[in-house]
Structures are given as C-alpha cells and as structure tokens.
Amino acid sequence: MLHLPVHAARPNILFILADDLGWQDTSVDFGPSRTALSAHYRTPAIERLAKEGAKFTQAYSCAVCSPARVSFMTGLNEARHGVTNWLFRGGSAPTTDLLHPTLSPAAWNWNGLQPGPGLAASVSRPVLPALLQKAGYRTMMFGKGHLGAAGTPGADPKLLGFDVRVGGRANGGPASYRGTKNFGSLNRPDDPNRVWDLDSYWGQDIHLTEALTREAAREIRVAVAAGTPFFCYFAHYAPHMPIEPDERFAPQYRAAGLDQNESAYASLIAGMDKSVGDLLALLDELGIADNTIVVFTSDNGALTHRGRTMEQPFTHNAPLSSGKGSHREGGIRVPLVVRWPGLVRPGTVSTTPVILYDWMPTLLEIAGGKTPPDLDGVSLVPLLREPAAVLADRALIWHFPNFFGPLEAKVPVQGPGMGPSSTIRHGDWKLICYYTDNRFELFNLAGDLGETRNLAEREPGRVRALANELTAYLRKYHAPMPVVKATSKPVPYPAEALAAVAR
Amino acid sequence: MLHLPVHAARPNILFILADDLGWQDTSVDFGPSRTALSAHYRTPAIERLAKEGAKFTQAYSCAVCSPARVSFMTGLNEARHGVTNWLFRGGSAPTTDLLHPTLSPAAWNWNGLQPGPGLAASVSRPVLPALLQKAGYRTMMFGKGHLGAAGTPGADPKLLGFDVRVGGRANGGPASYRGTKNFGSLNRPDDPNRVWDLDSYWGQDIHLTEALTREAAREIRVAVAAGTPFFCYFAHYAPHMPIEPDERFAPQYRAAGLDQNESAYASLIAGMDKSVGDLLALLDELGIADNTIVVFTSDNGALTHRGRTMEQPFTHNAPLSSGKGSHREGGIRVPLVVRWPGLVRPGTVSTTPVILYDWMPTLLEIAGGKTPPDLDGVSLVPLLREPAAVLADRALIWHFPNFFGPLEAKVPVQGPGMGPSSTIRHGDWKLICYYTDNRFELFNLAGDLGETRNLAEREPGRVRALANELTAYLRKYHAPMPVVKATSKPVPYPAEALAAVAR
C-alpha cells in the first residue's frame, strides 16, 4: 500500500509524452556526460522539471510508437498485447510487413487496442484512462492517439475511457503542424493524417503544439473548477515527421549553424518545451503544482533516417547506437523526468532501468485506482520515494516481429538493431536476437553504452541464459512470430535457433 | 413529386422484415395457385395485411441476408455496395470463401456497412435510418442487425442512424430464441450470436419474438405520445436457425403431421405472425392505422439445407427451385405485402418485379426525406397508388462472387443456382452466369417458374444480350469478382466468358 502525505492523496496527473523524441534531444543530461547533441537543444522547461523532480537515466519504451502507446494504456509488454508495429489503416492485413523475401508477417494485432472484443487482430484489455475514470478522475487527452487502427472503434480514444479528447484518432503523425494549413485539412479534407477537433484554429497562424496546449489549459481549468482530480495525457505530435519548422524557434537554431532540416527539428522540440513551460506555469497559477504529478517522457528513440541530415547515418541518438525502429539503445531508451512535490525529492537521479508501461500500475496506485492483476509493468512508487530503492529483479523484453518502414517503402529501413527481432536486458547484459538470419548480439551496457562490441561469441553461457529467459516469456504469452515463407511455420524461438546453431 | 391526401402526409412506417422466410412460408398465396407448402402455414395477420393492402407476387431480395440488409439501408445493389456475402467477424479476411480449389475470394466488403470511411473492406453511404432521422422521424429497430461485422462501428445500428436499437448487433442469427436461455447468454456470456439488450427478460419463459414485440410496442407508444412520426424497422430473427420450437404454436403443427423439425419451423413463423397481429392491433388501438404504412417482406428465400427435412432436397420453396444462397427463384423471391390506407387500395395485387432496395427511395419519398442521387432502387409509389402502373424499364441484377456455407463448413453448400455467380432478369427472361465453370442458365419465368428448362443453347442471342447488359453494370461499378488462383486475375465477366466459349 502507498502511504502518502495527506496533501498528496489523489494528485492530479499530467503525463506528457513526446513523439520520436530521442534520449539526447533535450538540454537535460541523461548520459554520463554532456553530449554534442544535447548541447544543440534548449529545453528550459524540461530542465526545470528535472531540477524540481527526478530524472531517470535508464528509462525505456518500445522501438516504435503504437506498441509503446498500447503498452502505456494496458501495462503490458508488446509481445503480450500483440500490437507490435505501428498502426494505420484498419480492417485488413497491413502492407508494411510484406517486404521480406523469406519471411511472412507475424499475426500481430494490426487493428490495435479496442474497447471490446469481436474484432480480429485486435486486443481488448482494461486500460488506464477507463480505470482512472472509475477511480473518480476526469480523464482527458490532447494530441496523438494511434491506439486503434483507422475506422475501428479504438481509433477514438473517447471509447477507451477519455472524457475529453482533442486531436487524437488513428493517425500516427500530423498531416501538418500549421494552423494556416488547417493542420492538414486544407487541401485534402479527408487526409488520413489530418488532425481533428481543432477546427476553431483553422486558418490562424498558430502551431499545432500551441493549439493543443491552449486546449489542455482550458480543460485543466475546467477540471480544477469542478474540484475533480484530473488525468491529462498530453501526447505531443512533436517532433514526429513532417519536420516543418516552428518559425517561433527555428531562426535561433539556424543562426546557431544547424542546417535547414535539423533547425526545423530543433524548433519542434523548442515549441514542445514551451508548451511544457506553459502548463507548469498554469499549475502554479492554479495553486495545484504541489498536488500534481508531472511526467515527461517519449515513446521511442529519435528518427535516424528520412529527413534527418546528420553527417553520419544512425548517429541521431549518439552516444547511443541507431534510432527509432531499432532494438539498439538509440531506438528504445528515452528521456524521463518526474516532478511530484508530494513524494519526489528535487534534483534526484535514478539509474534503475524502468519502462513506459510501468506507469500504468504506478499511476493507478497513486490515484487509488484498481490495478489489473498480472501486468508486465511494475509500480515505480518505491523509486519515486527513494531513487536508490531496489525494485524486484526483472528482465526487460522487447518484441518486434515486423519490418520497419513507411507504407510506401519498397524495402524496409535497414540499420543497426533493425529487422524482426526480440531483445532482453537483464542487469547490464542485453541480448538482441534477429529472426531473419538467427543472429545474436550480446552487449554489456555498463561498459559499452554505444553497443559497439558484440560479446555473443565470447559469452555463450550468458547468451544461452538470456535466450532461454526470453524464449520462456515469448512462449508463455504466445507472442506473434514471423513465419518462414518456405515452410509456413513460425521462425524458431531464440533458444531453438541457438540450439540449432550449436548442433 | 408525391401528392398525397393530407391525412397521409409523413405517415408512420412499420417495416417488418422476416429472416429466411420463403415465398411459400405464409398462408398468403403469392403463386399462381395454392401450394402444398403455403397450406402448411397459418399466418392470419399477414393474410389480414394482404387483404387490407396490396400483395406483390414478383418481389425480390438477395440470396443471402447481409447483402439484402445493406441494400435496404443504402438503396444500392450488392454489386455496388460490395457486401456480397453474409458478415460475421470483422477485421480480417473471411474464411467462408476459402473453400474452392480453383478460385480465390473476391475483394468483397467483409467489414460491412460503416458510419464513416477509414475501415478497409467496408462501405459507407447515406443510409435510410439516418436520412429519415434528418427528415424528423424517430427511428427505431428491433431484432437482427447484421449490417456491420463484429467489432466494427457499423455493428451497432445506433451508429447508422437509429435512435432506438433493441437486439441488433453483428450477429446473423440468435444463439437462442428462449428467454430461459437468456437468448443465448446463459451458458456463454460472450456467445457471438447472443441477442443483446433484452436482459430484463432473462430467465423468463418468453420467446424472443414476443420480447422484441413488447419492446417495439412500448417504443411505438413513446413515439406516438411524443407526436413524432416513426420509422420502426422490425427485423425478426424468426424463422432463421436455430430451428427451436415455439411451444405456443408447435403442438398444432405436430398434430397436423409435420415432423419435429418442420413443425418447429412452422411454429417460428406462427410466432412471427402473432407479432404482426399484435402490432396491427396496437396501431388500431392508438388510432394510427390509417396513417401508418406497414410493409411485410423477407430478406431471402427459405433455407433448403441443414436442419430442414423435406423428403426431396431443395424443394422448400416449391414451386420455386432451390433456396437461400441460390440465384434460382427459391433463393431470391420473397413474400411482400403492403398496407397503407392513405394510398394503397385494399386487396390489390401487383405483378411488377420489385426488389427490397426499392424501399429505400420509396420510404424517403413518402417521408419527405432527401433521396441520394444515383441509386439502384426506384420509388414504388406509382405501384402503391396503382398496381397496374408501369415502372420505367429496368433489369434486376444479383451478384454473389462468393461461396455459401457456414463458418465451420469444409465444402460450400451445393445446390441448384448456387456458387459464385451473377444473374440478370429483364422482362421474363433470366440469365444466371456461373463463375466456377463459365456456365450459363437461361430461363423464361413466364412459362417456367420452376426454372426446369435451360434455354441457353436454344436462345444464344438472348444470352448474349443479357450477358452484355449484366457485364456493363458489373464493369461500371467495379463489382468485386472472384479471382482465378492459377493466374491471380479476376474471372472473366459474363460477356467475356461467353465470347471465349463462342471462339
């Protein structure tokens, strides 16, 4: 049971999730030292959060967005809820997985998260907003949904337990960030990526991030006036593609020498930081900062292809390797800061590995809601209270039986850590198992954050132990697996592949 | 424009659709003479309707249920709305079409009718209830939905424009007709065929037809009390499988010598007729019989396999050939009676071929609603006014690029007129084109109601003309066509197949 100071009971929850924001994409240092990348960006509001709260240097999410978001909603690993790749059009098998010459797509849940059973290739489980609603919270979301595929009931977050929903449907990115383009509805009213619910801003010279922030501020005021604790899920579209410059902030980055594209990217981050600052100021104004837990994090690592323009490819999360869509650290490690005067001591740092879906049971515990049994996520309350607390021993697992790439791609994106794979981290050891060629990578993150030295051949015992632990989990929950075209059978589990190599 | 007597303006609409009720399954004579079958059944209420209104002896629907129902809602032929087979589980390709050795399934809309775009394999068009709602009607449905596949938005008729919905979701039949079995929820709360919304009758010794009738009666009273014209769509589950006896009526049929199964079937019809009678009595009691149009019809022919027990197979619609799932008359010709004191003269008979989706524009005209342009259905108001009126010349077309059979079937149902096919009737001539073997059947219905003499070889000119007319329609609207497995190409259109044979 959680014993909180009285003034911290049933706090408001402001959960801010950035989209495709990398581990080094803020001016908060999450790494062992200041990096060239984090020196690029100026995010004073996120810095303020870290200073007044705790930062987590080993926080994780999934390698792509929909799995991360469905995990956040359900408290489950993607291998269990089955939404292993990003969602788009509902109601039929996806095309993004059809690119490989030897593997057929896994039977993943490409219709996404749904409010009830009945739809094939979908998952229906107790979800965070509905459970908080039951616990007496007013639940509201602003920004990106991407939880259920287009045309399905789950495409509308309202059906998943949000009292208020602004901007979120099935789309995974905004057709445009610009009010002058009606956020994508101007030239094509039925653009599948248009942002909904913001008609009142159409034609105005306003940025999407700003419009969503104003909407959230209004609704927070409503909830506070009503005396109801609120759960505000602010799921920024920024800095996801399209990388359109936010002209309020782009000039300063261009002046600092960033090229057209990277300055635009930085400006999207700066606009997001301004939004965070505005909401913190609002909490101050309303006198609820002490009784509001504020979480800031991201859904996966920064994009390392298409539209990014660093000199070296796959360096956009340096010192981490690779980026979005990869099981290397650059794809899955994310910024995380938490401020909650009720429990979290200012300026603390936690180095314990945590993962996005831990927040589901954490927030339910804090809110006095009912936590479903048998989740993958665990409550982080002990770490919030004491950063040096020791959580029960566990492995973290990632599962991506898919190919990563845009709909129109002819070949999947190729980069370090990419391709159909399952991954396990236990202690400082991390094993990536690739299904296309039954290859293994073993890294020791304590000494090799950049994952440059594959120790698989040198440490066969560790490989075997991790492969066994990973396989037991995948088996237990019937994780969707890629299928070998030649045999129509699933690929071998990591432990099986290893045994075959050993023979 | 419709010029009605003042008292007939904006009449109430009671549209009663039976499920799988054959052309000879009432005691009303629709054929040239009294038949053995129609002598079996006693349906005094439907007889009353025919006596006080008009009967149509050449009324049609589709060969299976979902296409018929979606056509009724949209005014479109199934080749155009693309819901060509019955719906069940949504979100993935259906299994019922995978049975054939040489043909792959057509890309039909197996997610069904939807309230908006976005879902693959679905159709979204202006629908009758929403248009009547806009015209100021209170719209309500009782009984079977079966318009959108399970788990999709269209599975709930409320999202298609019904103010009130009792009993209808994605299911195509009831798990049970018995209140004592909670209409299917007793042993399996999530039975996909359970009937919803009737919890208050659970455990009672009440028949589903009776429960739905009481619900409809209550809501009709509500609408009348509110002074709002109503559209009551009463979509009986009866006499669809499971053929459970209605013990209020089964004994009399057993006493008359029908076997266990056929007496149960007859009892389901008798229960449905009792419901019709109860609703007619209610209209009398409320004093609205003069200003209510009552339509009674069915969605396809009677079942001729699984659970039916006539001595000869495929005789359950005699003198018509075959039954549900077939393009022979037994599959598509249905009972139709209409009573409307405002316009229809009592006891009249119309022999003009009409089809279920004609009612969409007909009812919109009567209600003063807005009829969408370019429908396949035409208004029947001229025929209601004067049974001998001549409608504009037209062909009727049926399109079934599927295989008919239950989910668990290993082979499709085989019978006369069954299998992937398209069919056209123009005047008294009817051409059935089979896609599995490019076979043609030509019948002259005027002299051969039972479709016993295939005149295709004797009348090549008629075959060609009809095949051309049919092909032009299928081409124009991109009708979904079966695909030849060997070539991955669609089967040839009827005119093409014919040309190939001629070479």
Side-chain angles (χ1 to χ4, degrees), chain B residues 422-435:
Chain B
S422 296
T423 295
I424 182 169
R425 175 183 173 165
H426 205 150
D428 288 326
W429 292 92
K430 177 176 164 188
L431 180 74
I432 308 180
C433 312
Y434 298 91
Y435 293 122

Side-chain angles (χ1 to χ4, degrees), chain B residues 20-332:
Chain B
D20 290 1
L21 182 83
W23 195 53
Q24 292 300 302
D25 286 356
T26 73
S27 49
V28 177
D29 295 333
F30 289 98
S33 58
R34 187 119 188 105
T35 66
L37 268 175
S38 77
H40 273 169
Y41 304 108
R42 281 181 289 280
T43 57
I46 301 168
E47 279 185 49
R48 178 187 165 192
L49 267 184
K51 202 176 131 202
E52 296 174 358
K55 76 178 172 189
F56 288 73
T57 61
Q58 303 207 58
Y60 288 99
S61 184
C62 298
V64 294
C65 43
S66 296
R69 286 153 201 268
V70 174
S71 285
F72 174 59
M73 291 291 159
T74 60
L76 298 178
N77 183 283
E78 65 274 19
R80 275 176 79 182
H81 61 61
V83 184
T84 57
N85 202 353
W86 63 281
L87 302 166
F88 189 52
R89 195 177 185 199
S92 74
T95 55
T96 43
D97 275 358
L98 305 175
L99 303 165
H100 200 267
T102 65
L103 295 184
S104 293
W108 66 285
N109 283 333
W110 35 260
N111 282 322
L113 183 61
Q114 298 298 329
L119 193 67
S122 75
V123 59
S124 171
R125 297 282 300 223
V127 287
L128 179 61
L131 293 165
L132 288 172
Q133 216 173 30
K134 275 192 196 153
Y137 274 64
R138 183 164 170 83
T139 58
M140 44 219 209
M141 76 150 288
F142 305 90
K144 170 166 158 173
H146 213 194
L147 297 163
T152 69
D156 187 347
K158 273 208 168 184
L159 299 183
L160 298 168
F162 282 104
D163 297 315
V164 174
R165 170 263 302 136
V166 179
R169 295 292 198 292
N171 56 316
S176 171
Y177 284 101
R178 301 181 200 274
T180 51
K181 290 189 175 177
N182 299 358
F183 311 110
S185 294
L186 186 61
N187 295 324
R188 202 181 147 191
D190 62 343
D191 190 312
N193 285 317
R194 71 195 183 282
V195 181
W196 298 51
D197 309 324
L198 295 173
D199 314 34
S200 59
Y201 298 90
W202 283 9
Q204 293 182 37
D205 183 15
I206 189 170
H207 195 270
L208 174 56
T209 302
E210 184 68 26
L212 290 171
T213 307
R214 292 187 194 173
E215 292 293 299
R218 190 194 62 232
E219 291 294 338
I220 287 173
R221 287 180 191 277
V222 168
V224 170
T228 318
F230 65 80
F231 168 51
C232 174
Y233 171 52
F234 197 121
H236 281 279
Y237 279 100
H240 191 284
M241 294 189 300
I243 305 176
E244 294 171 333
D246 183 337
E247 288 300 342
R248 298 174 296 174
F249 305 100
Q252 69 190 64
Y253 288 106
R254 285 196 290 266
L258 294 191
D259 72 18
Q260 188 71 21
N261 190 68
E262 293 302 321
S263 63
Y265 183 74
S267 76
L268 288 174
I269 294 170
M272 187 194 62
D273 185 77
K274 190 237 177 213
S275 164
V276 174
D278 289 351
L279 293 178
L280 294 183
L282 177 69
L283 301 184
D284 291 337
E285 180 202 323
L286 296 173
I288 57 172
D290 278 356
N291 194 32
T292 301
I293 176 169
V294 182
V295 181
F296 177 88
T297 188
S298 178
D299 66 338
N300 48 247
L303 200 66
T304 44
H305 65 108
R306 283 188 90 204
R308 297 304 301 275
T309 47
M310 303 289 193
E311 264 175 44
Q312 297 295 319
F314 302 105
T315 60
H316 304 73
N317 298 282
L320 308 183
S321 156
S322 205
K324 182 179 181 181
S326 167
H327 277 174
R328 293 283 184 86
E329 294 288 297
I332 55 179

Side-chain angles (χ1 to χ4, degrees), chain A residues 168-393:
Chain A
R169 294 294 198 292
N171 55 317
S176 171
Y177 284 101
R178 301 180 200 276
T180 50
K181 288 189 176 176
N182 300 357
F183 312 111
S185 295
L186 186 61
N187 295 323
R188 203 180 146 191
D190 63 342
D191 190 313
N193 286 317
R194 71 194 182 281
V195 181
W196 298 52
D197 309 325
L198 295 173
D199 313 34
S200 59
Y201 298 90
W202 283 9
Q204 293 182 38
D205 183 14
I206 189 170
H207 195 270
L208 174 56
T209 302
E210 184 69 25
L212 290 171
T213 307
R214 292 187 193 173
E215 291 293 299
R218 190 193 61 232
E219 291 294 338
I220 287 174
R221 287 179 191 279
V222 167
V224 170
T228 318
F230 64 78
F231 168 51
C232 174
Y233 171 53
F234 197 122
H236 280 280
Y237 278 101
H240 191 286
M241 294 189 300
I243 305 175
E244 294 171 333
D246 183 337
E247 288 300 342
R248 297 174 297 173
F249 304 99
Q252 68 189 65
Y253 288 106
R254 284 197 291 266
L258 294 191
D259 72 17
Q260 187 71 21
N261 190 67
E262 293 302 321
S263 63
Y265 184 73
S267 76
L268 288 173
I269 293 170
M272 187 194 61
D273 185 78
K274 191 239 177 210
S275 164
V276 174
D278 288 351
L279 293 178
L280 294 183
L282 178 69
L283 301 184
D284 291 336
E285 180 202 323
L286 296 173
I288 57 172
D290 279 354
N291 194 33
T292 300
I293 176 169
V294 182
V295 182
F296 177 87
T297 188
S298 178
D299 66 339
N300 49 248
L303 200 67
T304 44
H305 65 107
R306 283 188 91 204
R308 297 303 302 273
T309 48
M310 304 287 192
E311 264 175 44
Q312 296 295 319
F314 302 106
T315 60
H316 304 74
N317 298 282
L320 308 182
S321 155
S322 204
K324 181 178 182 181
S326 167
H327 276 175
R328 293 282 185 86
E329 293 288 296
I332 57 179
R333 197 182 282 213
V334 291
L336 172 61
V337 292
V338 184
R339 186 187 80 171
W340 186 21
L343 199 70
V344 176
R345 291 199 307 278
T348 47
V349 178
S350 175
T351 59
T352 304
V354 299
I355 193 157
L356 183 64
Y357 48 76
D358 290 336
W359 285 103
M360 195 259 201
T362 305
L363 297 178
L364 284 168
E365 181 179 350
I366 287 172
K370 193 177 165 196
T371 305
D374 191 27
L375 300 178
D376 291 301
V378 301
S379 172
L380 301 179
V381 166
L383 286 182
L384 298 182
R385 195 192 302 272
E386 172 47 61
V390 178
L391 294 182
D393 180 59

